Amino acid sequence: MSGARRATTTRLAPQPAAPPDGGTWSADPYAHALRTGRGPLFLRRADGWLLLLEVERWCADADAVDLEVVRRCEGAVLDVGCGPGRLVAALAARGWPVLGVDVSEAAVTRTLGLGGQALHRSVFDQLPAEGRWGTALLMDGNVGIGGDPRALLARMSQLLRPGGLLIVETDADPAVDERVRVHVTDTRGATGSPFPWARLGTPALLRHARRAGWRATDQWTTGSRSFAALRNRTPRTHTRPEQPHHH
């Protein structure tokens, strides 16, 4: 699923517990929101704190901030947690070979409906072309996937080619560095299954990245959205880096 953006202090009124959905993404409020393209939708911690999910933006066309990310991509692109597919569609329209990956069936269905390529799979499952992707994306806070940033960064290193590019959208609050369990909820009180998540500002991401052998090459903020670009470790025996594909 796509990540979260702005923190909010909104608290929902108590609601009856939703019937169990067996842990399937197809029955949760996230799937419903993606099918309709409308929120409001939140990530909710056990203490009741809420993080607003920007469903309408995710379901719209890529905006100017997204297109700056698109312009930075190199070679074949893997969009991890592609959500409803706006980045996959934007890259494909510009001629990039691109694949989206998401654990939400509704997200993959919507991406395919835009004409993009996407797999209903976790990033930790076996994926096509492991070790050969030119660029990987962790947009919309998706560095939180799995609740263990170091494990996720190690996995991204396995997926990218030596010297590959990882673009991460970080939390707008630079001080954030937390691992929590959350669930998706809406204003009707419907809830999804709980799962581990992480939130990182850019300083925390760079700390984790350095320890995992990544090299930071750029960071930028546009409006309320913050990003960092990292390079995968290049083996010393690799004397001639593969040239990026320019479009």
Side-chain angles (χ1 to χ4, degrees):
M1 98 180 215
S2 287
R5 282 301 322 137
R6 297 185 298 268
T8 175
T9 56
T10 304
R11 290 184 179 270
L12 303 180
Q15 298 284 342
D21 62 11
T24 61
W25 286 90
S26 59
D28 71 15
Y30 178 68
H32 176 75
L34 290 195
R35 284 192 291 267
T36 62
R38 297 174 59 188
L41 200 66
F42 307 89
L43 285 187
R44 184 171 191 153
R45 288 193 316 220
D47 63 3
W49 183 89
L50 299 172
L51 192 65
L52 178 66
L53 304 178
E54 296 186 277
V55 175
E56 289 86 354
R57 180 172 67 79
W58 298 342
C59 291
D61 292 339
D63 61 19
V65 181
D66 297 326
L67 294 179
E68 170 61 23
V69 172
V70 167
R71 284 190 290 271
R72 292 170 180 261
C73 290
E74 304 169 358
V77 182
L78 182 67
D79 186 1
V80 175
C82 66
R86 74 187 192 282
L87 268 295
V88 174
L91 283 157
R94 288 158 177 78
W96 254 272
V98 56
L99 177 69
V101 176
D102 206 293
V103 295
S104 166
E105 185 176 359
V108 170
T109 298
R110 186 148 184 155
T111 301
L112 295 173
L114 295 176
Q117 302 273 338
L119 290 178
H120 181 205
R121 201 171 296 181
S122 165
V123 65
F124 294 102
D125 294 335
Q126 186 170 354
L127 295 174
E130 293 201 9
R132 301 200 300 275
W133 294 96
T135 304
L137 303 179
L138 289 170
M139 296 285 284
D140 304 317
N142 279 329
V143 69
I145 288 171
D148 185 343
R150 294 180 73 176
L152 181 59
L153 287 169
R155 177 59 175 148
M156 303 309 293
S157 187
Q158 293 172 346
L159 294 169
L160 283 168
R161 69 191 181 196
L165 175 66
L166 175 62
I167 300 178
V168 182
E169 183 169 358
T170 56
D171 197 275
D173 180 353
V176 167
D177 185 6
E178 70 172 16
R179 258 67 63 203
V180 292
R181 284 188 69 81
V182 295
H183 61 262
V184 179
T185 189
D186 61 19
T187 53
R188 298 175 294 114
T191 60
S193 301
F195 56 92
W197 195 252
R199 293 174 59 230
L200 300 179
T202 298
L205 169 69
L206 298 183
R207 285 195 302 271
H208 289 293
R210 280 193 297 269
R211 292 172 190 147
W214 293 85
R215 176 171 57 91
T217 59
D218 200 3
Q219 53 185 289
W220 67 98
T221 298
T222 306
S224 62
R225 299 171 64 189
S226 298
F227 303 85
L230 308 172
R231 288 283 177 186
N232 195 11
R233 182 183 294 143
T234 304
R236 292 183 181 181
T237 56
H238 191 80
T239 58
R240 186 174 181 179
E242 184 178 347
Q243 296 300 307
H245 298 187
H246 294 289
H247 296 264

